[in-house]
Amino acid sequence: MTTAVFTGSFDPFTIGHDDIVRRALSLFDRIVIGVVEGNVHKSHTLTAEERKDAIDAVYADEPRVEVKIYSDLAVDFAQREGAHFIIKGIRSVKDFEYEREMAEINRSLNGTETLLLLADPALAHISSSMVRELAHYGKDISKYLPHKK
């Protein structure tokens, strides 16, 4: 069984994230979505448990997807899950440069490979930070969030 992890803050988990997971399911037998508990670069509006519960609801009918909380490096989380691959979505050149650097570090630490999937062009403008800002100003964000199953 080939396992990959898809890691991130997911605050919130958007339709762009969902698109990456569903496309990756055609490549892997099992995907573990890793919700980072703390991130030195971000503050969260939802707790890790709230983010996990929201993502669990999206994949309630998909037994090949599990959602777990982690608080260390993504590469260490992947190793604990028996995953040799980390999945990351790329929306822009800026994302690519950051993820390329992380992929090189992760591979150097324990051989874990990173698979970069390009965002669907129709979804590339959607980011968690943009959705959080819209929510902060009272805008309807439902079209940016995946429907719960």
Side-chain angles (χ1 to χ4, degrees):
M1 177 182 290
T2 306
T3 299
V5 297
F6 181 44
T7 60
S9 300
F10 305 125
D11 187 20
F13 191 81
T14 69
I15 56 175
H17 295 128
D18 181 50
D19 180 65
I20 295 293
V21 171
R22 294 195 188 276
R23 288 168 44 208
L25 282 170
S26 69
L27 303 170
F28 299 98
D29 300 314
R30 174 177 171 252
I31 296 177
V32 181
I33 299 174
V35 176
V36 69
E37 189 163 29
N39 184 322
V40 295
H41 304 291
K42 297 181 183 179
S43 61
H44 302 291
T45 58
L46 301 171
T47 67
E49 195 64 40
E50 289 170 323
R51 290 177 277 144
K52 178 191 180 300
D53 290 347
I55 300 168
D56 272 334
V58 172
Y59 298 102
D61 295 332
E62 179 49 77
R64 298 178 302 151
V65 175
E66 293 179 60
V67 186
K68 297 184 178 184
I69 296 170
Y70 74 101
S71 58
D72 53 349
L73 293 175
V75 70
D76 294 332
F77 174 68
Q79 190 169 35
R80 278 194 312 281
E81 291 300 320
H84 299 288
F85 300 93
I86 296 173
I87 301 164
K88 297 305 268 186
I90 302 295
R91 294 176 300 122
S92 66
V93 172
K94 180 181 168 186
D95 285 353
F96 175 79
E97 285 300 323
Y98 176 78
E99 296 299 347
R100 181 190 57 76
E101 289 175 7
M102 294 304 299
E104 290 173 3
I105 294 295
N106 290 340
R107 189 173 55 249
S108 74
L109 288 172
N110 70 4
T112 299
E113 291 290 348
T114 301
L115 177 65
L116 304 176
L117 293 178
L118 299 179
D120 180 321
L123 304 175
H125 65 286
I126 300 169
S127 68
S128 292
S129 57
M130 179 269 304
V131 174
R132 279 194 313 275
E133 184 170 354
L134 291 173
H136 175 79
Y137 288 104
K139 300 299 181 189
D140 179 13
I141 60 170
S142 61
K143 68 181 177 180
Y144 304 113
L145 304 177
H147 300 291
K148 296 175 174 129
K149 303 296 178 203

